[in-house]
Amino acid sequence: MQTSIAPVSLPSYVKEFCAEISSLPPQVLDYTSSEGSLPSECFENVKRKVAVAGGQAVFGWQIWEWPGVLVEAEFHSVWQSPAGELFDITPKLENERQIVFVAELGKTYKGERVDNWRKALIDNRIVHDFIRLCEASFDWFGQTPPSGTELEGREARVYIHFEELKLLLITTLKSGTSRNALCACGSGEKYKRCHEPSVEKILQLSDRSMK
Ligand SMILES: [Zn+2]
């Protein structure tokens, strides 16, 4: 479910967020199409581009913003042309033409998935819980293929429960940030009495399993 946009300017909260991730300054990069490039395959796309056009891969973070809710940084690679200019060559699902990118020195892709950085844009329990859910599910299942179909038994049930709760909180946050609002599951109960305890329970479970 698409909730976030690629910001094309650098408001102070984006700059502050980037400063927590990297010592280099964030920049707005243009997207340029590149033959054979696929969405979500930035590392392969850049590797192929370097092989045919020269230049080099630069690693860092692409910034996404869910306006009023959170900012997120996704591990990303862009292409540095032989002339030294940076271009994003990975197509976006929403056809964004520019991205905010912050390079990180010394960072490379080692074949493993890397969790996003996330920061709440408001001080709100549901937003914080959503971020904790994302982090906990990555800690647990980060290297599992996203479909989760290889999992069995209890692991599969926990995985599905995480995914359901994340989706529920996304739906909840799309209509507001009040814990007194009706739960997005459709039960007719207030969120804080309906699914909030389930969120708390799975976070406690994952805390214990990580120890
Ligand atoms: Zn509910």
Side-chain angles (χ1 to χ4, degrees):
M1 191 185 295
Q2 178 95 12
T3 54
S4 298
I5 55 169
V8 293
S9 64
L10 293 167
S12 58
Y13 57 86
V14 168
K15 285 185 192 157
E16 283 161 22
F17 177 53
C18 291
E20 290 171 24
I21 299 171
S22 172
S23 55
L24 298 171
Q27 44 194 320
V28 177
L29 300 186
D30 289 327
Y31 166 75
T32 179
S33 65
S34 177
E35 201 176 338
S37 282
L38 298 171
S40 309
E41 297 291 342
C42 61
F43 307 111
E44 277 305 310
N45 296 339
V46 173
K47 203 169 135 187
R48 189 183 307 110
K49 183 75 177 177
V50 170
V52 298
Q56 62 173 342
V58 172
F59 297 91
W61 304 86
Q62 177 180 345
I63 307 303
W64 294 95
E65 177 179 3
W66 184 352
V69 177
L70 56 83
V71 278
E72 197 159 11
E74 180 180 28
F75 188 36
H76 192 58
S77 178
V78 299
W79 176 59
Q80 185 171 38
S81 73
E85 219 181 331
L86 294 186
F87 293 98
D88 184 36
I89 59 161
T90 300
K92 309 294 168 221
L93 296 173
E94 303 285 312
N95 292 318
E96 288 95 337
R97 308 307 294 177
Q98 287 185 316
I99 66 165
V100 171
F101 178 75
V102 58
E104 186 177 343
L105 290 173
K107 186 108 186 150
T108 54
Y109 177 61
K110 299 188 182 80
E112 288 202 329
R113 291 173 64 205
V114 173
D115 196 14
N116 293 3
W117 292 76
R118 300 172 187 88
K119 186 179 186 179
L121 290 177
I122 42 168
D123 189 10
N124 172 267
R125 166 88 184 257
I126 306 178
V127 178
H128 291 308
D129 278 356
F130 176 67
I131 290 175
R132 288 168 71 210
L133 263 184
C134 293
E135 289 170 350
S137 80
F138 189 89
D139 285 346
W140 200 323
F141 296 108
Q143 304 310 324
T144 303
S147 66
T149 46
E150 287 171 12
L151 299 167
E152 290 177 349
R154 175 177 177 270
E155 289 284 292
R157 287 195 298 277
V158 174
Y159 181 85
I160 291 166
H161 196 41
F162 262 122
E163 293 306 301
E164 286 171 349
L165 289 175
K166 279 194 277 184
L167 205 56
L168 183 86
L169 289 204
I170 289 172
T171 311
T172 302
L173 286 170
K174 281 186 165 183
S175 54
T177 53
S178 168
R179 297 166 58 221
N180 288 314
L182 294 181
C183 189
C185 74
S187 65
E189 290 275 342
K190 289 179 178 179
Y191 166 74
K192 68 180 180 187
R193 285 197 229 296
C194 182
H195 266 87
E196 190 175 82
S198 310
V199 170
E200 201 46 51
K201 211 166 137 188
I202 200 166
L203 288 171
Q204 283 171 9
L205 179 72
S206 67
D207 267 356
R208 278 201 304 277
S209 78
M210 290 303 145
K211 278 175 191 140

